[in-house]
Amino acid sequence: MSTPGHSMGYLMHWAGRLLRRLADQRLKPFGLSSAHLPVVTALMQQAEMSQKELTVEAGIEQPTMAEMLSRMERDGIVSRRPDPADKRSTLISLTPAVRQNASRIKEVIQSINKDSLGTLPKAQREPFRLQLIQMISSLEAMQGAEDAKPPGRARRPSPG
């Protein structure tokens, strides 16, 4: 692929697409895809969460989250149980099969991140990540709308 002359937006979109494709390939043996990562990583950090908490943590809108969780439950990735503190709410957790593979899934995620920067000199990797964070912050500020900001730490990149 020739990249000279392509806009920043095009290049970022193409890189994101290739990164998702790589993640999908590597996560497939676990029955996961890149779309599942915001939910899976949030539930790896906190064993159980309400759908509302997951929506905030993963930065996914409520209707999309509801559909995603239904598919993930059908596929044996998550399970639900009534919230004893709030009868109107359910608690979502990873199934034992997924939780059992949590350390291997984390290793795959780390390998995806490492390999995606493989040709970039090591000294440039962290500055590149920090530049992406700055770019995201700048774009969020320009949009000014609260819904332009993915809430929660799962989607919000951190400087460290």
Side-chain angles (χ1 to χ4, degrees), residues 87-126:
K87 299 298 180 198
R88 299 167 294 157
S89 180
T90 59
L91 295 174
I92 293 106
S93 61
L94 295 174
T95 59
V98 175
R99 188 151 300 281
Q100 180 179 343
N101 286 313
S103 63
R104 290 176 45 214
I105 293 167
K106 286 177 188 177
E107 289 171 7
V108 168
I109 293 168
Q110 289 170 350
S111 77
I112 293 165
N113 289 330
K114 181 181 175 218
D115 292 347
S116 67
L117 297 174
T119 60
L120 197 62
K122 285 186 181 184
Q124 293 179 13
R125 293 176 188 178
E126 183 61 12

Side-chain angles (χ1 to χ4, degrees), residues 33-93:
S33 75
S34 59
H36 298 135
L37 286 180
V39 172
V40 171
T41 55
L43 292 172
M44 284 181 178
Q45 294 173 9
Q46 185 173 328
E48 284 186 315
M49 298 176 85
S50 69
Q51 184 170 321
K52 184 176 181 179
E53 291 170 325
L54 268 173
T55 298
V56 171
E57 186 69 24
I60 297 173
E61 292 184 17
Q62 179 66 29
T64 304
M65 179 62 78
E67 291 174 25
M68 180 186 292
L69 289 174
S70 291
R71 287 191 306 272
M72 291 175 76
E73 184 177 30
R74 177 199 68 205
D75 295 341
I77 299 167
V78 298
S79 60
R80 303 179 202 227
R81 72 176 183 91
D83 184 345
D86 182 355
K87 299 298 180 198
R88 299 167 294 157
S89 180
T90 59
L91 295 174
I92 293 106
S93 61

Side-chain angles (χ1 to χ4, degrees), residues 2-8 10-11:
S2 173
T3 58
H6 290 308
S7 71
M8 177 65 76
Y10 176 84
L11 294 172

